[in-house]
Amino acid sequence: MTDLLPDLPKLHVGRQRDVLRAPHAALATTCIEVDPHSDDTVALAADLLATMDVSPGCVGLAANQIGVSARVFCLDVSAHPKARTCHGRFVLVNPVIEVATRKERAREGCMSVPDFTGDVRRASRLEIRGYLPGTAEPVLIKTDAFEARAIQHEVDHLDGLLFVDRVVDARALHPRQTYL
Amino acid sequence: MSNGDSYAITVVGHDRPGIIADVTGAIADLGGNLEDSSMTLLRGHFAWTLVVTGSDPVEIEHRLESLRHNGLRISVIALPEAPSHGDAGAVYVMSVHGGDRPGIVSALTKVIAEAGGNIVDLTTRLSGDLYVLVAEVVLPADTDIAVVERNLSEAATAVGVGVTLRPEDIDLL
Ligand SMILES: [Zn+2]
């Protein structure tokens, strides 16, 4: 199921940026709110999408993962088998989680922590408010399953948190097997 | 961040508050770097294995000597260079449970070994009569999983337990 968001203003093609890895300080820093309408925010949105697009297996990216302290993330879970509700490829500015229920446990990995995975409990029903870049109208996204998990992972990044901060217990951090 | 030779320290014995602080304090004082480590309580006994680099293993062993009288058994072993696991493979989780009896772990891990698989993480627990085993297994990429499952199932039946093998499920975000 695809719930379409209002049409994005046409973003110019962004620049691919390097994805930072822990323990980079930017990943442990809370990002600041930005003007969704500003040229900088629109350019940042384009860079996030361009960087996500060239990163294999990447379904989301937060601004501080490319070194920008701004409450902006991009997401696209449309190709993921565990996605149920899906809003396609989008960027959200100044996101605020309003409802988060039905926690489920799953093992996560992150481009910024490439050598580990961890078991994390996250809400499987989510409502989140924010702005699309280049607009002044707030949008409300209601989602579930994998898209809900991915959004919470990205919002955590904006709060300076990694999945490592949320692993459920001491046995829930795993070396990532790179044989695949 | 690895610098120089690695050595393994094992610490086993009566659990008491402060063991980890004491051992890591001694290592830090001597300029050693704690790399990977894994600690748990096994039937109430403290059991910890650490990989340390830097400093001098003989010096560390000497320094840890003073902790031994607290009922701890401590050993320091030089480690050869870790072998590289270059083979392509897929990661599975094997779960086993059933009534306790000798030979469960060997029967099932033998099947994995015969399939060319490598066990990279293993926990076994006994509570009352219930025996539980969970292992993370890397199987070669060209493994016929149906065959491994059948062989595991036969081995499990022979020792009176149940077994499941499922692909490790990771959400990359
Ligand atoms: Zn991440």
Side-chain angles (χ1 to χ4, degrees):
Chain A
M1 178 167 89
T2 300
D3 282 356
L4 286 177
L5 289 169
D7 273 345
L8 275 177
K10 200 75 191 153
L11 297 175
H12 67 276
V13 177
R15 271 190 315 133
Q16 294 169 25
R17 309 271 289 259
D18 289 338
V19 177
L20 303 178
R21 291 182 174 191
H24 195 289
L27 297 168
T29 305
T30 303
C31 295
I32 54 170
E33 291 205 339
V34 290
D35 174 6
H37 218 101
S38 76
D39 291 348
D40 284 352
T41 302
V42 173
L44 170 62
D47 285 1
L48 284 168
L49 290 169
T51 307
M52 175 172 72
D53 289 347
V54 296
S55 307
C58 177
V59 298
L61 213 51
N64 49 343
Q65 288 184 279
I66 59 169
V68 180
S69 175
R71 300 191 73 79
V72 182
F73 71 82
C74 68
L75 206 83
D76 183 3
V77 302
S78 46
H80 200 280
K82 286 194 205 162
R84 285 207 290 273
T85 302
C86 171
H87 292 79
R89 185 171 178 270
F90 68 92
V91 178
L92 203 63
V93 182
N94 301 338
V96 177
I97 292 173
E98 309 230 310
V99 176
T101 56
R102 300 202 191 180
K103 286 206 169 183
E104 288 175 3
R105 176 176 172 148
R107 192 179 292 190
E108 292 183 7
C110 173
M111 278 183 79
S112 294
V113 191
D115 296 334
F116 298 100
T117 63
D119 301 338
V120 178
R121 278 166 55 79
R122 300 219 190 254
S124 62
R125 294 288 175 86
L126 197 76
E127 293 185 24
I128 183 168
R129 207 173 281 281
Y131 295 84
L132 302 181
T135 71
E137 280 301 301
V139 291
L140 177 68
I141 294 175
K142 294 185 183 187
T143 189
D144 54 30
F146 186 66
E147 193 177 57
R149 172 169 292 270
I151 288 173
Q152 291 165 85
H153 178 105
E154 303 311 333
V155 172
D156 266 359
H157 274 303
L158 302 181
D159 290 330
L161 296 173
L162 300 171
F163 74 82
V164 177
D165 295 300
R166 293 209 187 266
V167 290
V168 295
D169 60 57
R171 292 271 141 190
L173 180 70
H174 309 274
R176 175 132 162 229
Q177 310 295 342
T178 48
Y179 319 110
L180 281 172
Chain B
M1 224 175 297
S2 188
N3 66 2
D5 295 339
S6 301
Y7 42 100
I9 301 175
T10 62
V11 184
V12 180
H14 289 303
D15 190 31
R16 63 163 173 85
I19 298 176
I20 294 176
D22 289 349
V23 173
T24 52
I27 293 167
D29 285 350
L30 295 169
N33 299 306
L34 177 53
E35 296 195 339
D36 292 1
S37 89
S38 177
M39 174 261 147
T40 194
L41 294 179
L42 299 175
R43 303 203 84 70
H45 303 282
F46 182 92
W48 192 17
T49 308
L50 312 75
V51 174
V52 174
T53 59
S55 188
D56 174 27
V58 179
E59 229 182 315
I60 294 250
E61 187 158 25
H62 181 73
R63 175 71 184 272
L64 294 175
E65 201 69 40
S66 63
L67 299 170
R68 284 191 170 135
H69 66 84
N70 289 321
L72 290 180
R73 179 82 181 84
I74 299 175
S75 68
V76 181
I77 309 151
L79 291 175
E81 194 100 331
S84 65
H85 288 283
D87 295 349
V91 186
Y92 287 79
V93 178
M94 176 171 74
S95 310
V96 176
H97 58 90
D100 183 33
R101 58 177 271 184
I104 296 171
V105 180
S106 64
L108 290 150
T109 55
K110 186 161 171 262
V111 175
I112 298 298
E114 283 170 354
N118 192 22
I119 292 173
V120 294
D121 205 343
L122 171 73
T123 297
T124 69
R125 297 280 174 181
L126 175 65
S127 180
D129 186 43
L130 175 64
Y131 199 82
V132 182
L133 174 158
V134 181
E136 218 160 291
V137 179
V138 180
L139 289 164
D142 58 359
T143 302
D144 186 338
I145 296 302
V147 170
V148 177
E149 280 179 323
R150 192 162 57 240
N151 294 341
L152 282 174
S153 171
E154 278 171 17
T157 305
V159 288
V161 296
V163 60
T164 56
L165 187 70
R166 57 196 155 78
E168 183 183 59
D169 190 14
I170 298 173
D171 296 335
L172 295 177
L173 299 171

